[in-house]
Amino acid sequence: MDELKMVALMEYLSSSDSEEDIEIIEHILTKKKYIIPKINNYITDVVHAYTDSQFKGSFRMERCTAYFVIEMFEESIFFPKNNLSDCTITSENHILSFIWFSANKCSLRDVSERFGIGLTTQFRINNRVMDFLVSISSKFINFNEGSVGLSQEFQKVYGMPGVIGCIDGTSIPIRTPAHKIKSTYTNRHDKPSITLQAICDYKKRFIDVFTGAPGKIHDARVFALSDISKELPSICGTKYHIIGDGAYSIREWLLVPYKNYGNFTESQIIFNKTFCATRVLIENTFGLLKSRFRQLLQLDIHYVDKITKFIISCCVLHNMCINMNDEIELDNEIGPSIDPENDFIDSDVNQRKNGESKRDAIKNSLQYF
């Protein structure tokens, strides 16, 4: 309480004969300010004392990877250098608190108290870091390696010719977004979710991601809504293709396995085995993503735009870790993201026939090999 207010209260106290007024003023004078206890100097006293293995156990990321992100963030326009209210919070505090929130199943309040930051400030920090990671997403999630290089590496490791990526979708469980109807977002398991569609390469890096579609929408419809569905014909041409499960419609640039109607030939069996051994990469990639960023197991964010930013941010960090050989074990508790393959009506007969012809040619070549 400032000096002028204190003087005014003392004058009122001396001139008042009411016992109630005196009790009220004494209560105001003796009332203590409510302060939320926080951990002081958590980074300097605790994090800096971690061994490398302890750091990775807590942040699910190696120290060198985290500090690479910190350095990039500090040089970006998103790090507040002139904002007096936030400039005292270091870039290290920004990134480490966000990684902790992403990697552990905890609330924003837990993170703010651990890192000695106010809850509102921690909310702004998360938004700032997500904006930064989304802004550099095209640098780390792209087809820049080229179709030829991707195809050669896929065939060298997995034996399937012409493959430049594996596509699939996975459900990210969420709370019903603010001002939205729950039934709009419920998937086939009657749980609200957001679909993350992704294409991965042979190193389990994401080379394309698309998210924001409600979990209720079929994978093939999500693919049709994404920009990559229009770009793939020119990226792949007639020689290359991506591969997906039976939920997608077969195309010359998107191959799916043969369906088993009880009359499989030996060559179809060989093709499907090789195909599935290659396509499982995308399932492993989703598993690694959720093992590292456990917040994705049940995302508790209110708004759809923030949900999509957070998911893309985790994908960017995932690719950074892969690039820096920062590995993590697949969590056995996280099951595969495979959903039942529901048929989707394919009205484009010519494109389907072209895809089937290409698949037959690859099947015959695999049998010969």
Side-chain angles (χ1 to χ4, degrees), residues 165-350:
C166 308
I167 187 171
D168 202 2
T170 186
S171 290
I172 307 293
I174 60 170
R175 62 183 296 174
T176 303
H179 314 302
K180 302 292 183 181
I181 301 172
K182 181 179 179 180
S183 60
T184 306
Y185 286 85
T186 53
N187 56 23
R188 59 173 57 87
H189 305 295
D190 200 33
K191 295 181 180 179
S193 66
I194 287 282
T195 297
L196 167 63
Q197 175 190 277
I199 303 174
C200 75
D201 67 5
Y202 60 95
K203 283 188 176 181
K204 301 175 187 174
R205 292 176 301 196
F206 294 112
I207 54 178
D208 183 80
V209 293
F210 174 76
T211 189
K216 189 172 186 176
I217 301 179
H218 191 278
D219 281 355
R221 177 61 180 159
V222 174
F223 177 67
L225 292 171
S226 64
D227 292 334
I228 196 66
S229 64
K230 288 82 176 175
E231 298 169 2
L232 275 174
S234 59
I235 292 174
C236 296
T238 58
K239 185 176 181 180
Y240 303 107
H241 45 267
I242 63 172
I243 59 176
D245 61 21
Y248 298 96
S249 300
I250 189 169
R251 295 289 184 265
E252 195 170 12
W253 35 266
L254 198 170
L255 299 186
V256 300
Y258 287 98
K259 290 186 178 180
N260 188 359
Y261 297 108
N263 57 348
F264 259 12
T265 64
E266 184 179 352
S267 58
Q268 288 176 329
I269 293 173
I270 293 172
F271 175 88
N272 273 15
K273 283 184 177 179
T274 308
F275 187 98
C276 293
T278 308
R279 198 197 68 81
V280 76
L281 277 176
I282 187 61
E283 301 296 341
N284 293 338
T285 304
F286 285 142
L288 291 173
L289 178 72
K290 293 179 181 180
S291 295
R292 194 185 297 272
F293 303 108
R294 300 184 67 83
Q295 199 69 231
L296 295 175
L297 298 177
Q298 180 63 56
L299 197 49
D300 192 21
I301 298 179
H302 293 268
Y303 297 98
V304 176
D305 61 334
K306 294 289 192 300
I307 292 171
T308 56
K309 282 184 179 181
F310 181 80
I311 295 172
I312 292 174
S313 298
C314 291
C315 293
V316 173
L317 290 174
H318 168 89
N319 276 15
M320 287 182 175
C321 292
I322 298 294
N323 290 344
M324 299 188 71
N325 297 318
D326 183 350
E327 299 178 352
I328 191 170
E329 291 185 5
L330 188 63
D331 194 333
N332 293 328
E333 295 180 3
I334 300 175
S337 58
I338 299 173
D339 286 324
E341 296 176 3
N342 296 330
D343 290 332
F344 189 79
I345 299 175
D346 185 2
S347 58
D348 198 323
V349 178
N350 290 331

